[in-house]
């Protein structure tokens, strides 16, 4: 089996860099599929990924979405969310991971950017969680999202302020390595392989801060 990891040659926003892919993502996938040939493929322009037998395409960039129009659809969500009566904006310091599996949607703990570093988990009340979960489900339904892990970037000022939905694990996913089982980069692999993903677990620990 061969795994092609598509990443950005010049990452923007929350995309992982090629160096981060080589040093942190490749070892995780080697643990998942020890016999696999893993190729890291940096891109600086959009391409259409053509599926090949025996090859798993593992995308971490806007340039190689899982489907040709998935990235463009995700970019259009901001205006749609505004029509739903939900505030939109930029500079969101939080991301909610969502795994779209063959069995449904699995929600993770919120990851927050604290003093420039992504940290997990961030505490949220039941009301805050349910608001975010409802938005996440609605966004995935709108995209008719294929299997994989998605990261909902947002801010919170007494209510959710939507920024964007990333259709792949972002740099924030690195915060889950060694903290969550499975981490989000491994979970993305499991989703793409259509392997069972029934739960993600974080040992009891002090949260970084409350969602506020």
């Amino acid at each position: 089996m061969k795994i092609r990891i598509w990443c950005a040659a010049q990452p923007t926003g929350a995309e992982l860099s090629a160096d981060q892919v080589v040093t942190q993502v490749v070892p995780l996938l080697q643990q998942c599929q020890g016999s696999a040939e893993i190729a890291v493929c940096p891109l600086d322009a959009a391409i259409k990924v053509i599926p090949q037998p025996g090859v798993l395409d593992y995308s971490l960039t806007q340039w190689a979405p899982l489907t040709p129009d998935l990235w463009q659809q995700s970019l259009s969500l901001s205006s749609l969310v505004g029509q739903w009566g939900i505030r939109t904006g930029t500079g969101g310091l939080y991301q909610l991971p969502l795994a779209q599996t063959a069995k449904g949607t699995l929600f993770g703990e919120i990851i927050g950017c604290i003093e420039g570093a992504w940290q997990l988990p961030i505490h949220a009340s039941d009301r805050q969680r349910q608001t975010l979960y409802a938005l996440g489900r609605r966004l995935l339904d709108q995209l008719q999202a294929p299997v994989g892990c998605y990261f909902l970037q947002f801010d919170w000022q007494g209510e959710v302020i939507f920024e964007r939905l990333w259709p792949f694990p972002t740099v924030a996913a690195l915060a889950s390595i060694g903290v969550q089982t499975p981490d989000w980069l491994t979970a993305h692999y499991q989703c793409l392989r259509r392997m069972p993903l029934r739960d993600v677990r974080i040992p009891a620990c002090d949260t970084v801060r409350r969602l506020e």
Side-chain angles (χ1 to χ4, degrees), residues 20-40:
Q20 289 171 320
V21 170
V22 170
T23 60
Q24 301 197 61
V25 181
V26 169
L28 294 173
L29 299 191
Q30 287 175 331
Q31 293 177 19
C32 295
Q33 190 77 31
S35 61
E37 174 190 347
I38 301 177
V40 177

PDB file of all heavy atoms in Angstrom, residues 20-40:
ATOM      1  N   GLN A  20       6.353  19.863   9.233  1.00  0.00           N
ATOM      2  CA  GLN A  20       5.508  19.276  10.275  1.00  0.00           C
ATOM      3  C   GLN A  20       4.956  17.930   9.824  1.00  0.00           C
ATOM      4  O   GLN A  20       4.844  17.001  10.634  1.00  0.00           O
ATOM      5  CB  GLN A  20       4.370  20.240  10.622  1.00  0.00           C
ATOM      6  CG  GLN A  20       4.824  21.474  11.383  1.00  0.00           C
ATOM      7  CD  GLN A  20       3.727  22.512  11.520  1.00  0.00           C
ATOM      8  OE1 GLN A  20       2.959  22.758  10.582  1.00  0.00           O
ATOM      9  NE2 GLN A  20       3.640  23.125  12.693  1.00  0.00           N
ATOM     10  N   VAL A  21       4.630  17.817   8.549  1.00  0.00           N
ATOM     11  CA  VAL A  21       4.128  16.544   8.025  1.00  0.00           C
ATOM     12  C   VAL A  21       5.206  15.467   8.136  1.00  0.00           C
ATOM     13  O   VAL A  21       4.953  14.349   8.592  1.00  0.00           O
ATOM     14  CB  VAL A  21       3.655  16.702   6.571  1.00  0.00           C
ATOM     15  CG1 VAL A  21       3.368  15.341   5.941  1.00  0.00           C
ATOM     16  CG2 VAL A  21       2.417  17.580   6.505  1.00  0.00           C
ATOM     17  N   VAL A  22       6.423  15.811   7.727  1.00  0.00           N
ATOM     18  CA  VAL A  22       7.515  14.834   7.740  1.00  0.00           C
ATOM     19  C   VAL A  22       7.856  14.399   9.153  1.00  0.00           C
ATOM     20  O   VAL A  22       8.046  13.202   9.431  1.00  0.00           O
ATOM     21  CB  VAL A  22       8.761  15.416   7.039  1.00  0.00           C
ATOM     22  CG1 VAL A  22       9.977  14.513   7.258  1.00  0.00           C
ATOM     23  CG2 VAL A  22       8.500  15.582   5.548  1.00  0.00           C
ATOM     24  N   THR A  23       7.941  15.356  10.089  1.00  0.00           N
ATOM     25  CA  THR A  23       8.424  15.036  11.433  1.00  0.00           C
ATOM     26  C   THR A  23       7.333  14.515  12.362  1.00  0.00           C
ATOM     27  O   THR A  23       7.635  13.777  13.307  1.00  0.00           O
ATOM     28  CB  THR A  23       9.081  16.270  12.078  1.00  0.00           C
ATOM     29  OG1 THR A  23       8.113  17.337  12.164  1.00  0.00           O
ATOM     30  CG2 THR A  23      10.277  16.736  11.266  1.00  0.00           C
ATOM     31  N   GLN A  24       6.061  14.869  12.113  1.00  0.00           N
ATOM     32  CA  GLN A  24       5.017  14.503  13.065  1.00  0.00           C
ATOM     33  C   GLN A  24       3.907  13.633  12.491  1.00  0.00           C
ATOM     34  O   GLN A  24       3.374  12.781  13.196  1.00  0.00           O
ATOM     35  CB  GLN A  24       4.425  15.779  13.689  1.00  0.00           C
ATOM     36  CG  GLN A  24       5.488  16.606  14.410  1.00  0.00           C
ATOM     37  CD  GLN A  24       4.897  17.626  15.356  1.00  0.00           C
ATOM     38  OE1 GLN A  24       4.199  17.274  16.308  1.00  0.00           O
ATOM     39  NE2 GLN A  24       5.167  18.894  15.093  1.00  0.00           N
ATOM     40  N   VAL A  25       3.554  13.840  11.240  1.00  0.00           N
ATOM     41  CA  VAL A  25       2.454  13.061  10.665  1.00  0.00           C
ATOM     42  C   VAL A  25       2.947  11.719  10.137  1.00  0.00           C
ATOM     43  O   VAL A  25       2.333  10.673  10.394  1.00  0.00           O
ATOM     44  CB  VAL A  25       1.740  13.849   9.552  1.00  0.00           C
ATOM     45  CG1 VAL A  25       0.582  13.016   8.976  1.00  0.00           C
ATOM     46  CG2 VAL A  25       1.217  15.179  10.086  1.00  0.00           C
ATOM     47  N   VAL A  26       4.055  11.728   9.407  1.00  0.00           N
ATOM     48  CA  VAL A  26       4.570  10.477   8.831  1.00  0.00           C
ATOM     49  C   VAL A  26       4.794   9.408   9.902  1.00  0.00           C
ATOM     50  O   VAL A  26       4.374   8.255   9.717  1.00  0.00           O
ATOM     51  CB  VAL A  26       5.854  10.737   8.019  1.00  0.00           C
ATOM     52  CG1 VAL A  26       6.539   9.410   7.658  1.00  0.00           C
ATOM     53  CG2 VAL A  26       5.534  11.522   6.753  1.00  0.00           C
ATOM     54  N   PRO A  27       5.433   9.719  11.051  1.00  0.00           N
ATOM     55  CA  PRO A  27       5.599   8.670  12.068  1.00  0.00           C
ATOM     56  C   PRO A  27       4.278   8.087  12.561  1.00  0.00           C
ATOM     57  O   PRO A  27       4.196   6.882  12.850  1.00  0.00           O
ATOM     58  CB  PRO A  27       6.344   9.390  13.197  1.00  0.00           C
ATOM     59  CG  PRO A  27       7.081  10.506  12.518  1.00  0.00           C
ATOM     60  CD  PRO A  27       6.153  10.956  11.429  1.00  0.00           C
ATOM     61  N   LEU A  28       3.242   8.911  12.651  1.00  0.00           N
ATOM     62  CA  LEU A  28       1.934   8.413  13.092  1.00  0.00           C
ATOM     63  C   LEU A  28       1.358   7.430  12.076  1.00  0.00           C
ATOM     64  O   LEU A  28       0.806   6.387  12.450  1.00  0.00           O
ATOM     65  CB  LEU A  28       0.966   9.576  13.294  1.00  0.00           C
ATOM     66  CG  LEU A  28       1.298  10.562  14.427  1.00  0.00           C
ATOM     67  CD1 LEU A  28       0.342  11.743  14.382  1.00  0.00           C
ATOM     68  CD2 LEU A  28       1.237   9.876  15.782  1.00  0.00           C
ATOM     69  N   LEU A  29       1.472   7.761  10.803  1.00  0.00           N
ATOM     70  CA  LEU A  29       0.929   6.875   9.776  1.00  0.00           C
ATOM     71  C   LEU A  29       1.758   5.611   9.634  1.00  0.00           C
ATOM     72  O   LEU A  29       1.229   4.553   9.280  1.00  0.00           O
ATOM     73  CB  LEU A  29       0.840   7.618   8.441  1.00  0.00           C
ATOM     74  CG  LEU A  29      -0.072   8.847   8.416  1.00  0.00           C
ATOM     75  CD1 LEU A  29      -0.277   9.331   6.987  1.00  0.00           C
ATOM     76  CD2 LEU A  29      -1.414   8.577   9.078  1.00  0.00           C
ATOM     77  N   GLN A  30       3.054   5.696   9.932  1.00  0.00           N
ATOM     78  CA  GLN A  30       3.881   4.484   9.932  1.00  0.00           C
ATOM     79  C   GLN A  30       3.443   3.516  11.022  1.00  0.00           C
ATOM     80  O   GLN A  30       3.513   2.308  10.845  1.00  0.00           O
ATOM     81  CB  GLN A  30       5.349   4.871  10.101  1.00  0.00           C
ATOM     82  CG  GLN A  30       5.964   5.511   8.862  1.00  0.00           C
ATOM     83  CD  GLN A  30       7.374   6.008   9.079  1.00  0.00           C
ATOM     84  OE1 GLN A  30       7.760   6.377  10.193  1.00  0.00           O
ATOM     85  NE2 GLN A  30       8.167   6.034   8.017  1.00  0.00           N
ATOM     86  N   GLN A  31       2.978   4.067  12.141  1.00  0.00           N
ATOM     87  CA  GLN A  31       2.441   3.215  13.201  1.00  0.00           C
ATOM     88  C   GLN A  31       1.140   2.554  12.754  1.00  0.00           C
ATOM     89  O   GLN A  31       0.857   1.419  13.139  1.00  0.00           O
ATOM     90  CB  GLN A  31       2.202   4.035  14.467  1.00  0.00           C
ATOM     91  CG  GLN A  31       3.475   4.550  15.131  1.00  0.00           C
ATOM     92  CD  GLN A  31       3.179   5.411  16.341  1.00  0.00           C
ATOM     93  OE1 GLN A  31       2.086   5.358  16.910  1.00  0.00           O
ATOM     94  NE2 GLN A  31       4.144   6.221  16.743  1.00  0.00           N
ATOM     95  N   CYS A  32       0.350   3.265  11.962  1.00  0.00           N
ATOM     96  CA  CYS A  32      -0.926   2.718  11.490  1.00  0.00           C
ATOM     97  C   CYS A  32      -0.721   1.650  10.432  1.00  0.00           C
ATOM     98  O   CYS A  32      -1.442   0.650  10.392  1.00  0.00           O
ATOM     99  CB  CYS A  32      -1.785   3.842  10.900  1.00  0.00           C
ATOM    100  SG  CYS A  32      -2.307   5.102  12.071  1.00  0.00           S
ATOM    101  N   GLN A  33       0.237   1.870   9.542  1.00  0.00           N
ATOM    102  CA  GLN A  33       0.439   0.992   8.390  1.00  0.00           C
ATOM    103  C   GLN A  33       1.942   0.840   8.173  1.00  0.00           C
ATOM    104  O   GLN A  33       2.542   1.491   7.319  1.00  0.00           O
ATOM    105  CB  GLN A  33      -0.235   1.588   7.146  1.00  0.00           C
ATOM    106  CG  GLN A  33      -0.308   0.673   5.948  1.00  0.00           C
ATOM    107  CD  GLN A  33      -1.405  -0.369   6.075  1.00  0.00           C
ATOM    108  OE1 GLN A  33      -2.428  -0.118   6.702  1.00  0.00           O
ATOM    109  NE2 GLN A  33      -1.203  -1.532   5.478  1.00  0.00           N
ATOM    110  N   GLY A  34       2.559   0.006   8.986  1.00  0.00           N
ATOM    111  CA  GLY A  34       4.014  -0.104   8.996  1.00  0.00           C
ATOM    112  C   GLY A  34       4.629  -0.476   7.665  1.00  0.00           C
ATOM    113  O   GLY A  34       5.764  -0.098   7.364  1.00  0.00           O
ATOM    114  N   SER A  35       3.894  -1.208   6.841  1.00  0.00           N
ATOM    115  CA  SER A  35       4.452  -1.656   5.562  1.00  0.00           C
ATOM    116  C   SER A  35       4.205  -0.676   4.426  1.00  0.00           C
ATOM    117  O   SER A  35       4.630  -0.919   3.287  1.00  0.00           O
ATOM    118  CB  SER A  35       3.845  -3.010   5.185  1.00  0.00           C
ATOM    119  OG  SER A  35       2.434  -2.907   5.043  1.00  0.00           O
ATOM    120  N   ALA A  36       3.523   0.424   4.707  1.00  0.00           N
ATOM    121  CA  ALA A  36       3.140   1.354   3.645  1.00  0.00           C
ATOM    122  C   ALA A  36       4.328   2.171   3.150  1.00  0.00           C
ATOM    123  O   ALA A  36       5.223   2.535   3.922  1.00  0.00           O
ATOM    124  CB  ALA A  36       2.045   2.287   4.133  1.00  0.00           C
ATOM    125  N   GLU A  37       4.297   2.463   1.884  1.00  0.00           N
ATOM    126  CA  GLU A  37       5.228   3.437   1.300  1.00  0.00           C
ATOM    127  C   GLU A  37       4.557   4.803   1.419  1.00  0.00           C
ATOM    128  O   GLU A  37       3.466   5.006   0.882  1.00  0.00           O
ATOM    129  CB  GLU A  37       5.496   3.105  -0.162  1.00  0.00           C
ATOM    130  CG  GLU A  37       6.341   4.145  -0.883  1.00  0.00           C
ATOM    131  CD  GLU A  37       6.392   3.923  -2.376  1.00  0.00           C
ATOM    132  OE1 GLU A  37       5.984   2.826  -2.823  1.00  0.00           O
ATOM    133  OE2 GLU A  37       6.818   4.848  -3.088  1.00  0.00           O
ATOM    134  N   ILE A  38       5.195   5.725   2.121  1.00  0.00           N
ATOM    135  CA  ILE A  38       4.597   7.037   2.381  1.00  0.00           C
ATOM    136  C   ILE A  38       5.349   8.105   1.601  1.00  0.00           C
ATOM    137  O   ILE A  38       6.565   8.251   1.743  1.00  0.00           O
ATOM    138  CB  ILE A  38       4.600   7.366   3.884  1.00  0.00           C
ATOM    139  CG1 ILE A  38       3.814   6.302   4.663  1.00  0.00           C
ATOM    140  CG2 ILE A  38       4.005   8.754   4.122  1.00  0.00           C
ATOM    141  CD1 ILE A  38       3.826   6.498   6.166  1.00  0.00           C
ATOM    142  N   ALA A  39       4.620   8.838   0.787  1.00  0.00           N
ATOM    143  CA  ALA A  39       5.204   9.928   0.003  1.00  0.00           C
ATOM    144  C   ALA A  39       4.594  11.248   0.442  1.00  0.00           C
ATOM    145  O   ALA A  39       3.364  11.378   0.501  1.00  0.00           O
ATOM    146  CB  ALA A  39       4.952   9.701  -1.487  1.00  0.00           C
ATOM    147  N   VAL A  40       5.438  12.217   0.790  1.00  0.00           N
ATOM    148  CA  VAL A  40       4.976  13.556   1.147  1.00  0.00           C
ATOM    149  C   VAL A  40       5.024  14.407  -0.112  1.00  0.00           C
ATOM    150  O   VAL A  40       6.076  14.530  -0.761  1.00  0.00           O
ATOM    151  CB  VAL A  40       5.852  14.161   2.254  1.00  0.00           C
ATOM    152  CG1 VAL A  40       5.401  15.590   2.570  1.00  0.00           C
ATOM    153  CG2 VAL A  40       5.798  13.291   3.498  1.00  0.00           C
TER     154      VAL A  40
END
